[in-house]
Amino acid sequence: MKKTAPELLQKEKKERDFSLPELPDAEKGKVITRFPPEPNGYLHIGHAKASIVDYEYAKMYNGKFILRFDDTNPENVALEFFDVQKEDLRWLGIEWDEEYHTSDHLEKHYKLAEKLIKQKDAYVCVCHSDAIKDGRFQGKECDCRDVSNEKNLYLWKDMISSSVEGAVLRLKGDMKSVNTAMRDPTLFRIIDKPHPLLGDKYRVWPTYDFAGAVEDSLSGVTHPFRTKEYELRDECYFRLLELLKLRKPHLMEFARLSIEGMPVSKRKIKPLIDQGKVSGYDDIRLPTLRGLKKRGILPETIKQFVFSQGISKAESSAAFSLVEAINRKLLDSAAKRYFFVQDPIKLVVDNAPSMKKTISLHPTDEKLGSRIIKTDNIFFVPKTDMKNLNIGDVFRLKDLYNIMITKKNKEINAEYAGEELIPDSAKIQWTAEKVIKMIVFVPGLLYENDNYNPNSLEKVEGFAEDAVSQLETGEIVQFERFGFVRIERQNNNIIGFFAHK
RNA sequence: GCUCCCGUAGUGUAGCGGCCAAUCAUCACGGCCUCUCGAGCCGUAGACUCGGGUUCAAAUCCCGACGGGAGCACCA
């Protein structure tokens, strides 16, 4: 064997398959998934996970993907976010086959609620919320539970048509269930606040438990995903569908996606914005899609990152460096290279030849073009590099020529030392006399060990080479020996947002 | 407190009874390459929480402990 087929003895290097695992009970062409955001804010990396998984599964099975706005709490929903969220999804590269609002189906929900009441599976509860809470905690039923269904129906109609206050419709579950989610959960409640789409047409709104289950079933979704914290509500989800004689989808849960030091919840972000600690929902330190975009993270990076995390239920907090590594690889082949000199010091080169040097914008891909830099005897170089060099040392202005340091003061003096590349000499990025003054914002971790980090945003000032003035907003380039930076034009200035090394 | 879920290298993941002396990425370290401290290439180091059980065979199944997370809303 060794002689005839030695390759069979060699252990093959196994390749990791990064695609999603097969779905249970899934048939090509028949899988329907859905992404159901509440239009109450900007989408973040957690939403990205959910929407990408939903979308990719539909694609994988040639199925259908539905975008459903779960807008059944007028207190949370704001008009602007329907479009905001769609924009965020499009940026991610997600397309949906169908789009609707849960609020479109309220009449249907009312009918189903009525059915439950008639079946004695739901009742109107007029207890105070504290009393409900208490009863739930102690596993005690309240008197509303025993009301006849004629009266319940009457009360329900009253809720809808507006004379009753503070009543809710509850599922007749099991107040003694070990699963507290089954202790007669609330299905509908009164919210007297105009809905951004429907005004004050309705005042009775379904809760998540009811709307989520009913919509998944009615819209034909076969494989709905949700995050793990809903797991205890599965029982309620299926009970409801059973009582309503509705089809039961194959419900699945996965762990929330979180990134170390980057808060995802509005509860945490909102105060930071209000206190001016971050600039807004698109702050480059935030894991919002807008923040990530502004910083130069590509949609494809997010997709690959989500895939790499998988859909298990094991909770974890990934380091952002994993995102950076993916992004860097994607960017490396496409990003133009420029010189940016951080904390510059003036460099005067005696007997410097005046040159018009053509330097390519990418080390290997010529298609990305080149720029011509006019040089005379004045340059700028990074101060920190000069600290490590002494008089007599020779280094190279990268892609230009060598120089030898002759004097170190407030500025550096040097003399021309030939054009030929000296092996192992330091190559330092530089600018000619004509520069673009710019600021690069460098994000750090917003939270360190759960504490807000006041120094999470660094402002780096420096000079960029003149060619940078030609760049457009949104271009991501690499400043050599500095890092990848997304360019933005603001007024007459050019500023940069640091993505990563 | 009660209930549920989870527990694989520093980090994140794959594996879910034999092919595991455990995958891949990242990180760290070493080398090669390169007119960037980037990318690429090669290599080294590093893990199945613990204790019982089932089985010819367990990271994989069962029980228990420990650790982490979640739920106990008229929010999703």
Side-chain angles (χ1 to χ4, degrees), chain A residues 179-182 208-209 225-238 251-256 311-315:
Chain A
N179 182 356
T180 47
M182 290 309 288
Y208 172 80
D209 276 326
F225 283 93
R226 38 157 51 159
T227 43
K228 218 168 65 132
E229 66 264 26
Y230 296 113
E231 236 173 348
L232 276 317
R233 320 209 71 89
D234 284 8
E235 193 180 348
C236 177
Y237 184 100
F238 290 117
L251 184 60
M252 287 183 284
E253 271 104 8
F254 52 65
R256 269 193 117 107
I311 52 169
S312 81
K313 290 204 250 185
E315 67 267 348

Side-chain angles (χ1 to χ4, degrees), chain A residues 319-330:
Chain A
F320 194 74
S321 60
L322 294 172
V323 176
E324 294 180 356
I326 298 170
N327 206 56
R328 188 180 297 123
K329 278 168 198 164
L330 256 20

Side-chain angles (χ1 to χ4, degrees), chain A residues 284-433:
Chain A
I284 55 174
R285 289 163 290 181
L286 258 20
T288 54
L289 263 26
R290 272 139 134 108
L292 295 169
K293 174 188 176 182
K294 187 170 185 178
R295 175 188 185 155
I297 302 299
L298 303 169
E300 175 63 20
T301 298
I302 295 174
K303 185 177 150 186
Q304 287 186 20
F305 175 63
V306 165
F307 276 5
S308 78
Q309 293 303 295
I311 52 169
S312 81
K313 290 204 250 185
E315 67 267 348
S316 61
S317 194
F320 194 74
S321 60
L322 294 172
V323 176
E324 294 180 356
I326 298 170
N327 206 56
R328 188 180 297 123
K329 278 168 198 164
L330 256 20
L331 243 27
D332 191 73
S333 59
K336 294 174 182 169
R337 314 292 147 120
Y338 291 94
F339 291 150
F340 169 76
V341 176
Q342 167 180 6
D343 193 15
I345 183 168
K346 191 171 175 184
L347 167 73
V348 179
V349 179
D350 303 322
N351 59 36
S354 286
M355 293 184 84
K356 277 187 186 172
K357 179 82 176 178
T358 302
I359 303 175
S360 57
L361 290 170
H362 193 274
T364 53
D365 190 351
E366 285 171 23
K367 287 197 289 294
L368 289 175
S370 59
R371 78 281 200 190
I372 297 166
I373 306 180
K374 269 170 72 177
T375 67
D376 207 339
N377 67 331
I378 294 175
F379 299 87
F380 292 97
V381 288
K383 206 179 273 172
T384 49
D385 283 319
M386 293 306 112
K387 279 207 187 102
N388 303 322
L389 292 168
N390 300 310
I391 291 170
D393 284 350
V394 174
F395 72 91
R396 186 171 181 83
L397 297 169
K398 187 174 177 287
D399 297 315
L400 194 67
Y401 52 66
N402 312 313
I403 55 176
M404 185 178 74
I405 298 176
T406 55
K407 221 196 272 174
K408 282 178 78 177
N409 277 317
K410 275 210 151 107
E411 47 184 68
I412 307 284
N413 286 79
E415 58 188 42
Y416 176 78
E419 214 167 328
E420 198 162 326
L421 194 60
I422 302 167
D424 297 325
S425 67
K427 290 130 201 156
I428 286 165
Q429 81 277 24
W430 48 273
T431 71
E433 191 173 12

Side-chain angles (χ1 to χ4, degrees), chain A residues 271-282:
Chain A
L272 294 178
I273 293 175
D274 292 344
Q275 295 159 31
K277 286 177 175 166
V278 299
S279 62
Y281 279 98
D282 65 347

Side-chain angles (χ1 to χ4, degrees), chain A residues 233-265:
Chain A
R233 320 209 71 89
D234 284 8
E235 193 180 348
C236 177
Y237 184 100
F238 290 117
R239 172 72 59 83
L240 232 24
L241 294 180
E242 201 169 294
L243 295 172
L244 292 166
K245 305 250 176 334
L246 295 174
R247 181 190 56 91
K248 293 177 192 158
H250 199 118
L251 184 60
M252 287 183 284
E253 271 104 8
F254 52 65
R256 269 193 117 107
L257 174 49
S258 52
I259 297 179
E260 221 175 294
M262 295 179 124
V264 90
S265 72

Side-chain angles (χ1 to χ4, degrees), chain A residues 34-38 41-56 65-69 81-99 289-290 293 299-300 302:
Chain A
R34 118 262 101 147
F35 174 60
E38 183 180 41
Y42 294 88
L43 263 30
H44 54 65
I45 188 79
H47 295 112
K49 174 174 180 178
S51 59
I52 287 170
V53 168
D54 293 328
Y55 170 66
E56 290 295 330
F65 173 61
I66 301 171
L67 171 60
R68 174 179 95 219
F69 288 106
F81 292 120
F82 292 96
D83 285 336
V84 159
Q85 295 186 344
K86 285 201 273 183
E87 253 177 57
D88 285 353
L89 288 174
R90 288 201 189 98
W91 176 73
L92 267 184
I94 286 177
E95 294 160 358
W96 46 99
D97 302 297
E98 202 180 305
E99 168 187 338
L289 263 26
R290 272 139 134 108
K293 174 188 176 182
E300 175 63 20
I302 295 174

